[in-house]
Amino acid sequence: MFLAALSFSYIARALGGIIMKMSITQIERRFDISSSLAGLIDGSFEIGNLLVIVFVSYFGSKLHRPKLIGIGCLLMGTGSILTALPHFFMGYYRYSKETHINPSENSTSSLSTCLINQTLSFNRTSPEIVEKGCVKESGSHMWMYVFMGNMLRGIGESPIAPLGISYIDDFAKEGHSSLYVGGLNAVGMIGPVIGFILGSLFAKMYVDIGYVDLSTIRITPKDSRWVGAWWLGFLVSGLFSITSSIPFFFLPQNPNKPQKERKVSLSLHVLKTNDERNQTANLTNQGKKVTKNVTGFFQSLKSLLTNTLYVIFVLLTLLQISSFIGSFTYVFKYMEQQYGQSASQANFLLGVITIPTIATGMFLGGYIIKKFKLSLVGIAKFSLLTSIISFLFQLIYFPLICESKSVAGLTLTYDGNNSVASHIDVPLSYCNSECNCDESQWEPICGNNGITYLSPCLAGCKSLSGIKKSTVFYNCSCVEVTGLQNRIYSAHVGECPRDDACTKKFYIYVAIQVINSVFSATGGTVCILLIVKIVQPELKALAMGFHSMVIRTL
């Protein structure tokens, strides 16, 4: 029963983590913050976790472990729901300075010099809308709630792994703990699968779904300004975490202790508490016990830090996990920027293809250790082998990098003929210098020359046809000067797609990601078992907690 309950908590933990990782780019756009600040928000989980992990691991192992895990799941769920709350107080998301596109007619209209941006609203009823700086209503300090919610989720997650694994290792049959831990991690991968599928679905939904008329939204999920319904994922994961906490409050502290014996000891405890003299004696004894526990804590910590094998293991996994956390945090943004994939496509591919292979690898690692009855040295050699193979596959990522996108004003001059040394303060070209454009505006359009322009104005476009998402711009002077022969200088809403060579590299990238995931995950179960085998049995929970604290701090 405990293993089943812990499996649900592992699913809830992984679900919440994946939802946060997938929502990073959405949160970044919605709150109008930088990538570095978005990374700090993601890191708040580690901040919350490291605040309590060591104390929870040590003192928790001496208390009622199932109930502590239940409280942790409850806090995790509360944190996830807190993360979603800003959505309900922020107002509507504005993906540009204008609200909605609403051309007066569905035919080409002649316009004065590049004043296209003033007709695309664009219904400007107030001068404040065009005022520079009033770019997005979302630029606020409401991201602090996301930060605090994620930190609370980190605090709640702290007892699950150290107390859960030590509980299994204490009460499982001899030699079965490796299989249980491998199976537990494999079942836990259901969380990321659910998370990726839900994340992919929610990323296709507009952030203000249910609040605005979706027919007026003129951008698609492929647009770099699109923000999906990121908040829905946190609500789902929060409710799931709270539900997963319920079974732990009904599980015993010691499953090997007969039920009758537990009831008798409970009755004796009730009788004792009725005696005032015994109550006073108990308080005195508890005071001594607390002092003894604190002293024992520092002695146990000293014992760990003087264990050479344990210290080497901590330093080794610090290097491995640092690289993993860094790459996994931004893998979704990497796929979007490097290969031109939408957020929903990236989520779906990573979830449906990669996560099952990780689950397979984790289970396989535990099975191999049990099948061949590997010793401590054997486990270490197995871990070394999987790490070397994974490292070799990592090297293949480098030749799979695509060339930089052709973006006029960032990588090319505005006329599209020459590359630029820096994207900062690229001078206007003669094709758009008379257009009176806002150079900070990001309304990307794709010219039929394959070059992306920052906005219709900066592309020198003078007319348009179509409505909403199917709008096409014509007579674009900056597209014209690139030497097209057909003399139809048009552009459509959105960035230009990547070329076929880059698309092929993306498929190879996904294949390598799958193979690499198998070997990395196979060694993942091995790492957990190494901790419990290189320290004294009574220090297992503390060893896992201190290891987790070092990883999350550094």
Side-chain angles (χ1 to χ4, degrees), residues 38-95:
L40 177 65
I41 290 173
D42 182 60
S44 63
F45 176 87
E46 275 71 34
I47 295 171
N49 197 281
L50 69 88
L51 288 174
V52 296
I53 184 69
V54 172
F55 303 104
V56 167
S57 302
Y58 180 77
F59 295 107
S61 62
K62 302 178 183 301
L63 301 173
H64 199 298
R65 284 179 281 187
K67 284 185 178 179
L68 283 176
I69 295 173
I71 293 170
C73 290
L74 202 59
L75 287 175
M76 264 202 316
T78 305
S80 291
I81 292 173
L82 177 62
T83 301
L85 283 184
H87 167 76
F88 300 99
F89 305 108
M90 288 184 68
Y92 301 150
Y93 170 62
R94 295 191 180 192
Y95 46 82

Side-chain angles (χ1 to χ4, degrees), residues 7 10-11 14-15 185-196 240 355 359:
S7 297
Y10 262 59
I11 292 171
L15 175 62
N185 285 315
V187 171
M189 287 297 103
I190 295 174
V193 171
I194 296 172
F196 277 117
F240 189 87
I355 297 303

Side-chain angles (χ1 to χ4, degrees), residues 50 62 82 89 95 110 129 148 159 173 176 185 195-196 202 274 318 369 453 472 478 483 547 552:
L50 69 88
K62 302 178 183 301
L82 177 62
F89 305 108
Y95 46 82
S110 297
I129 294 178
M148 291 187 294
K173 291 181 181 178
H176 284 64
N185 285 315
F196 277 117
F202 295 150
N274 291 333
L318 175 61
I369 293 171
Y453 295 85
V472 179
C478 289
H547 173 260
R552 296 186 189 284

Side-chain angles (χ1 to χ4, degrees), residues 227-279:
V227 174
W230 61 274
W231 51 277
L232 275 173
F234 289 104
L235 289 181
V236 171
S237 66
L239 293 173
F240 189 87
S241 294
I242 291 172
T243 305
S244 71
S245 71
I246 296 172
F248 289 104
F249 295 103
F250 300 96
L251 290 170
Q253 184 174 0
N254 184 351
N256 294 334
K257 198 173 185 180
Q259 182 70 20
K260 287 183 179 180
E261 191 178 333
R262 287 200 298 270
K263 285 183 178 178
V264 169
S265 59
L266 179 65
S267 300
L268 289 172
H269 178 71
V270 171
L271 289 171
K272 284 180 182 178
T273 53
N274 291 333
D275 193 313
E276 290 182 3
R277 286 175 300 175
N278 284 348
Q279 198 172 48

